[in-house]
Amino acid sequence: MFDGVDLGLEARGRACLVGRNGAGKSTLLRILAGATAPDSGERFVKPGLKIALVRQEPVIDGERLIEHASAGGAPRHAAEAALEGLGLDPARPTAGLSGGEARRAALARAFAEAPDVLLLDEPTNHLDILAIETLEARLGRIGASLLMVSHDRAFLTRATTRCFWLEGRRVRRLDAGFGDFEDWAAGISAADAEEERRLDVAIAREAHWMTHGVTARRTRNEGRRRRLVALRADKAERLRLSAGSMAIGAGVGAPSGRRVIEARKLCKTYGERTLLRDFSTRIIKGDRVAIVGANGAGKTTLVKLLLGEIPPDSGSVRLGSNLDIAYIDQARIDLAADLTLVQALAPLGGDQVMVQGQPRHVAAYARDYLFRDDQLRQPVASLSGGERNRLLLARALARPSNLMVLDEPTNDLDIETLDLLEDVLADYAGTLILVSHDRDFIDRLATSTIALDGRGGAVETPGGWSDLTLQNPGFFTPDAKPPKTAAPRAAGASRPVAAPVKLSFRDARRLAELEARLAALAAEIAGHEQSLADAGLYGRDPAAFERVSQGLSAARSALAKAEDEWFVLEELRERLTRPVALSPVDSSND
């Protein structure tokens, strides 16, 4: 994984360790913590130094959280304070914790032990944005030296003053925070590429001399032969160390209608807890909508409501026409542990997978996502978190779609993969619904952001996370109250709220006609598509195939026009029925 690594941490340093998935970052952290022995080299630790390691997949033992948090020797009061500071009940049983709760419990134990050096392996995984910001504030106050492995750009930018880059079995050091890392790494990559070019030139020159040079001078020939062998060995090692780059793209299906999803006054309650109250939104073709909020606030529930997978307690959801949905689930329930990688990519059997409508060999497609040939027959259970997420992306992006729903897609992905995924989604011609805790990822992609406060409140703001927090200060505060509608004032102040105005009879009738026409056109399109799905239709009856194709094109065009007209009337109806407060008047005239 690495060879000849020199790395040191000074008192109160704030450093990150970055690199690709599988580069050896977790192994290096375990060596620094003393949990794994290196094959060679020396590890020096200042006498008496206390080190704490929070692993990427922490194990929470003991019957209750307080027992786990104090198991490392921390005083009970310190363990309780650390748990409560991260939003956990010390008396809670350890069984049945979610991924985010297990992460917070592991962090609380490390904080309670008051270490001199704190090593954190993916500390933001499964944490919601509010918990990440709490963690950032806590890390800013502790006096320990920090070394963190993370893919969260915003977190690393705020929390670090030094970077270690594990690449090609070496560790390079940048004496600046992560905000300067990408420009610095790009410069190093350019220098490495130039060195690679010079090596290729040297190999070509030596090979030419060996072929065409004077052969009588055997001693010199032997020396140059050894030099050529050494150069080729160096080249082979460089190629072996190069992990390659992912080559991914998103397949886009037939265009959807202009309206993708319209939700009106959605309400959803579980037991005594209200997750959503009177929420409305309209998602138009091409939108990139992010959904944010604390763990348990109802983000996944909102997605399922919008997709029609679960019914609301009240309100309505209307899906647009011709939707072809690709869904990556947060829990990865679609990946059975005993499936092999081949079975997951080609569930119908064989060695072919349909990628954007074209057949490809499953091994070649798997290589696009950096899977080795020897992994094809391995069970999903043997894959790392990042590999499982890449596998889900490979499955979802292979099929044509016009609505992509990604629930926590960034977990366990390295920064390079995140960059590539971001580029793919930015170029995606369909509509995107994104549930994520990655603030930088949201800021780079979202056209609007829906925030849930976990108490039934929801707000939608144009832009990403930064726009949301700027325009809605205090929205997530537990004691924040939704703004109240001002009551009509007494005489001499404001005139009462004006009564709503309805659509004209003609417009209301036309709106109802359009509702029925949209449904009929959607059914007509589905019928044409079913007919064209018959692979033998063209061979049996080319004229019928042509008629169906033309009918499908005409129906889609008619649907687009009907939707445009429906939107105009629907927006007019909403404006007219919205109550309007009138200007102040003199009470003597009432």
Side-chain angles (χ1 to χ4, degrees):
M1 290 186 172
F2 37 83
D3 184 24
V5 166
D6 293 321
L7 186 151
L9 297 176
E10 75 281 6
R12 301 181 64 85
R14 300 282 193 273
C16 62
L17 176 62
V18 296
R20 296 187 180 190
N21 290 136
K25 302 185 298 295
S26 297
T27 300
L28 186 52
L29 281 190
R30 291 195 298 271
I31 290 175
L32 294 173
T36 297
D39 297 330
S40 62
E42 180 182 1
R43 170 181 175 270
F44 171 78
V45 178
K46 181 180 177 180
L49 204 71
K50 183 187 292 186
I51 302 174
L53 169 64
V54 177
R55 296 175 181 264
Q56 185 174 0
E57 297 182 0
V59 176
I60 310 302
D61 45 21
E63 291 187 7
R64 301 192 179 275
L65 291 181
I66 184 62
E67 296 174 9
H68 170 77
S70 57
R76 188 178 181 88
H77 70 274
E80 289 178 347
L83 288 166
E84 291 171 352
L86 290 172
L88 296 173
D89 180 2
R92 178 173 176 174
T94 57
L97 296 177
S98 68
E101 289 166 338
R103 176 75 53 190
R104 283 183 280 158
L107 289 167
R109 172 171 172 168
F111 290 146
E113 293 174 4
D116 302 299
V117 176
L118 180 56
L119 307 175
L120 303 175
D121 195 351
E122 297 288 4
T124 66
N125 262 10
H126 307 293
L127 294 186
D128 58 62
I129 295 179
L130 305 181
I132 292 173
E133 292 186 334
T134 299
L135 175 61
E136 287 173 356
R138 183 64 186 266
L139 293 177
R141 295 194 301 268
I142 68 173
S145 299
L146 299 175
L147 181 60
M148 298 163 278
V149 171
S150 178
H151 63 265
D152 190 320
R153 279 190 177 89
F155 172 74
L156 292 178
T157 299
R158 289 166 171 80
T160 62
T161 58
R162 177 171 295 167
C163 301
F164 294 104
W165 184 23
L166 179 54
E167 176 73 7
R169 300 200 322 190
R170 294 185 292 170
V171 169
R172 295 179 169 99
R173 167 176 154 173
L174 170 65
D175 290 325
F178 184 79
D180 297 320
F181 170 78
E182 292 182 304
D183 289 341
W184 171 76
I188 289 180
S189 297
D192 286 348
E194 176 61 19
E195 185 177 347
E196 184 83 6
R197 186 192 66 80
R198 291 177 180 176
L199 178 60
D200 289 340
V201 170
I203 291 175
R205 184 175 60 247
E206 292 297 318
H208 181 272
W209 191 94
M210 288 295 296
T211 304
H212 304 286
V214 180
T215 58
R217 303 175 64 180
R218 296 183 178 275
T219 302
R220 186 178 178 189
N221 283 352
E222 183 62 23
R224 298 202 70 156
R225 188 192 67 80
R226 288 195 299 268
R227 173 173 166 75
L228 178 58
V229 170
L231 287 171
R232 286 176 170 166
D234 188 14
K235 177 70 174 181
E237 180 70 0
R238 286 170 179 263
L239 292 175
R240 188 184 70 80
L241 292 177
S242 175
S245 297
M246 289 175 62
I248 68 176
V252 180
S256 68
R258 185 182 176 206
R259 179 193 61 195
V260 176
I261 299 173
E262 182 175 11
R264 299 183 186 175
K265 295 186 175 300
L266 294 184
C267 295
K268 190 65 180 180
T269 301
Y270 285 106
E272 298 182 355
R273 186 179 180 194
T274 299
L275 292 180
L276 209 59
R277 184 188 305 109
D278 291 333
F279 175 68
S280 300
T281 189
R282 180 179 295 160
I283 300 175
I284 306 301
K285 180 171 66 175
D287 282 351
R288 277 106 169 89
V289 181
I291 302 176
V292 300
N295 287 339
K299 301 186 294 296
T300 301
T301 298
L302 176 57
V303 169
K304 292 181 177 179
L305 286 168
L306 294 176
L307 296 181
E309 294 184 0
I310 59 175
D313 297 335
S314 61
S316 64
V317 174
R318 178 167 182 161
L319 297 179
S321 61
N322 202 38
L323 290 183
D324 195 353
I325 303 172
Y327 192 176
I328 295 183
D329 188 271
Q330 175 185 10
R332 301 169 183 164
I333 57 176
D334 203 22
L335 283 179
D338 58 346
L339 284 178
T340 66
L341 195 148
V342 168
Q343 291 170 334
L345 289 176
L348 299 180
D351 59 1
Q352 300 288 318
V353 56
M354 294 300 294
V355 180
Q356 301 177 29
Q358 300 295 325
R360 287 194 62 191
H361 194 280
V362 67
Y365 185 59
R367 289 188 207 110
D368 288 349
Y369 288 81
L370 303 186
F371 290 107
R372 304 184 309 273
D373 290 353
D374 60 2
Q375 291 180 287
L376 295 177
R377 302 298 173 183
Q378 292 181 3
V380 168
S382 69
L383 301 178
S384 69
E387 288 170 333
R388 287 195 294 271
N389 215 358
R390 291 207 308 269
L391 178 56
L392 280 174
L393 288 173
R395 285 166 48 120
L397 298 181
R399 57 167 297 186
S401 67
N402 50 38
L403 172 59
M404 191 178 301
V405 183
L406 304 178
D407 194 347
E408 299 288 10
T410 65
N411 278 344
D412 302 309
L413 295 182
D414 58 49
I415 291 172
E416 184 173 334
T417 304
L418 284 177
D419 282 341
L420 187 55
L421 176 61
E422 178 190 315
D423 290 341
V424 169
L425 297 179
D427 294 335
Y428 179 58
T431 304
L432 176 67
I433 297 176
L434 171 69
V435 179
S436 180
H437 61 255
D438 191 319
R439 294 159 292 179
D440 184 81
F441 197 67
I442 293 172
D443 278 342
R444 293 176 183 228
L445 281 176
T447 57
S448 70
T449 301
I450 299 171
L452 307 179
D453 64 7
R455 305 181 298 278
V459 63
E460 183 169 8
T461 303
W465 171 259
S466 300
D467 302 287
L468 172 76
T469 54
L470 182 64
Q471 298 179 44
N472 301 277
F475 175 77
F476 295 105
T477 305
D479 57 354
K481 297 180 180 180
K484 295 181 179 179
T485 303
R489 293 191 179 184
S494 278
R495 187 185 294 270
V497 173
V501 180
K502 295 183 178 180
L503 281 175
S504 68
F505 174 77
R506 179 181 176 182
D507 286 342
R509 184 177 65 180
R510 181 56 179 164
L511 187 61
E513 291 173 352
L514 286 169
E515 296 271 355
R517 179 160 173 73
L518 290 174
L521 286 170
E524 182 181 347
I525 289 171
H528 288 320
E529 290 177 338
Q530 184 174 2
S531 298
L532 292 176
D534 180 1
L537 176 61
Y538 183 80
R540 294 193 311 271
D541 192 345
F545 179 88
E546 184 64 24
R547 286 195 304 271
V548 173
S549 299
Q550 292 178 354
L552 176 60
S553 178
R556 285 175 173 170
S557 177
L559 179 65
K561 292 179 181 179
E563 283 189 331
D564 288 342
E565 186 179 357
W566 180 90
F567 267 109
V568 172
L569 289 175
E570 178 63 16
E571 289 173 351
L572 175 61
R573 184 195 66 79
E574 287 189 355
R575 286 199 305 270
L576 291 176
T577 56
R578 188 180 302 125
V580 178
L582 302 182
S583 58
V585 296
D586 189 333
S587 61
S588 62
N589 295 328
D590 287 341

